[in-house]
Amino acid sequence: MGADETRDGVALTNLDQQLFDGSGVSKRDLVDYLDAVADRIVPQVRGRPLSVVRVRPGQPPFMQKNLPRYTPGWVRRVPIWAEASRREIAYGLCDDRRTLLWFANQRAVEYHPTLAMADDLSRPTHLVLDLDPPEDAGFAAGVSAALLVRQALADAGLAGAVKTSGAKGVHVFVPVEPGPDAEELAAATRALAARTERLDPTLATTAFIREDRGGKVFVDPTRTGGATVVSVYSPRLRPGVPVSFPVPWPDLASITPADFTIRTVPSLVAERDPWAELMPAPQRVPGDLIDEGRAIPVPRVQAMHEGRRRARARRAVTD
């Protein structure tokens, strides 16, 4: 086959180029992977404003939120006001195989959907706890923290599904019943993170400022509201192109992120959808969890104030 071809009406170009330096795969490998798992990944991103991480030859990777002007008219989009940049951004909606192939041809390697649907961005469909091991730790540390999260969930009468991040982190997803808004779910997430930390403060921390984490796993409670999380089955922009992949809780300690790549995953999902199988039914978020979380400061705001306080203290020392 040549370097160019067409699938589902999408012109695919430069397929035999290396995907990115050190990837060990071609652009064709990316396209073939996403085409093979389209029936698995599209249901996870459908109807959700999508950010993608793209890579171009000779350029650093970049995250794209706003669709480029040359985007075909048949790609669905949703306008969202961005307070930070004071402008309206046209997010893409990857609702079908054709759109996924178009993104793949744009060298979109990573797929980061919002936690809420485009038709109601005020009400996320999941709580998410993102577990980030320190730089000098490996995947096993994230696994240990994930098991703490599982216990914290069980203590609250909740259950979640777990997946690798595709790097060395771990993501725990908890589907929720319709009702709570983004503020309420953010509070519940903060409470769950704090409860996780209390279960083993020598392993887990909720310290938002990196220098305060003391070599512990960061239990990130900020994947809420308008935040995005890399989709299950999404490739990651790392050597070998690993994939964010669901794992049964009992198997979590016996796998490594490198077990799941764009070369190995298609056969694992050809006959079944592990994420759909492992995901619990939507659950009611306990009111006491929300109330508990409302008493916990919002991490980014707290970190901003603390950063300013430390800056003032440093200036006072040098004055």
Side-chain angles (χ1 to χ4, degrees):
M1 298 175 70
D4 297 352
E5 61 182 85
T6 299
R7 301 187 200 178
D8 205 2
V10 178
L12 305 170
T13 57
N14 302 314
L15 292 175
D16 295 335
Q17 286 184 353
Q18 183 175 216
L19 184 58
F20 56 87
D21 290 344
S23 67
V25 304
S26 67
K27 180 181 174 183
R28 179 186 298 280
D29 292 323
L30 173 70
V31 171
D32 286 347
Y33 168 75
L34 290 169
D35 201 5
V37 304
D39 287 347
R40 303 292 180 245
I41 191 170
V42 168
Q44 304 304 321
V45 299
R46 180 183 288 127
R48 299 177 187 269
L50 182 67
S51 301
V52 295
V53 177
R54 295 175 56 193
V55 61
R56 292 171 173 161
Q59 298 181 25
F62 62 98
M63 177 166 277
Q64 174 186 289
K65 299 176 182 291
N66 203 20
L67 287 175
R69 292 183 179 180
Y70 57 79
T71 303
W74 46 262
V75 174
R76 287 190 63 215
R77 62 204 71 196
V78 57
I80 298 176
W81 179 256
E83 194 62 38
S85 57
R86 304 294 299 172
R87 66 186 179 120
E88 196 171 73
I89 291 179
Y91 282 82
L93 298 175
C94 187
D95 290 349
D96 51 36
R97 172 181 179 247
R98 186 186 187 192
T99 304
L100 183 64
L101 287 171
W102 180 82
F103 273 114
N105 192 58
Q106 299 298 305
R107 293 177 180 263
V109 179
E110 299 189 5
Y111 295 76
H112 296 249
T114 58
L115 293 173
M117 308 298 291
D119 57 5
D120 190 354
L121 291 172
S122 69
R123 298 188 186 278
T125 57
H126 296 75
L127 291 174
V128 175
L129 287 162
D130 180 0
L131 306 172
D132 183 16
E135 291 185 6
D136 59 352
F139 180 68
V143 169
S144 296
L147 296 177
L148 294 180
V149 170
R150 189 187 191 194
Q151 182 61 55
L153 289 172
D155 292 344
L158 298 170
V162 64
K163 68 182 181 71
T164 68
S165 70
K168 62 180 180 180
V170 180
H171 296 153
V172 180
F173 274 61
V174 182
V176 299
E177 292 181 351
D181 62 19
E183 182 275 330
E184 292 169 317
L185 292 183
T189 306
R190 293 195 297 275
L192 286 169
R195 291 184 181 191
T196 299
E197 181 180 34
R198 289 198 297 271
L199 286 172
D200 188 349
T202 67
L203 170 67
T205 179
T206 57
F208 190 78
I209 299 175
R210 189 176 296 273
E211 64 192 53
D212 293 345
R213 295 177 190 169
K216 303 172 187 177
V217 177
F218 177 42
V219 184
D220 185 355
T222 66
R223 303 296 184 177
T224 59
T228 64
V229 181
V230 70
S231 175
V232 67
Y233 307 129
S234 171
R236 301 305 304 270
L237 212 152
R238 289 168 174 77
V241 196
V243 169
S244 178
F245 199 79
V247 182
W249 283 105
D251 298 344
L252 192 57
S254 62
I255 60 94
T256 70
D259 294 337
F260 311 108
T261 72
I262 62 170
R263 298 193 189 282
T264 63
V265 166
S267 63
L268 299 176
V269 300
E271 303 297 332
R272 50 188 287 265
D273 183 348
W275 191 232
E277 294 173 3
L278 295 171
M279 187 66 65
Q283 299 146 83
R284 186 186 69 83
V285 179
D288 64 327
L289 199 65
I290 296 172
D291 292 339
E292 179 182 330
R294 281 176 168 155
I296 300 173
V298 176
R300 293 184 191 278
V301 175
Q302 183 183 36
M304 178 184 67
H305 291 313
E306 177 62 15
R308 290 174 178 172
R309 186 195 67 78
R310 294 182 188 187
R312 288 196 299 269
R314 288 192 295 268
R315 288 196 298 269
V317 171
T318 57
D319 287 347

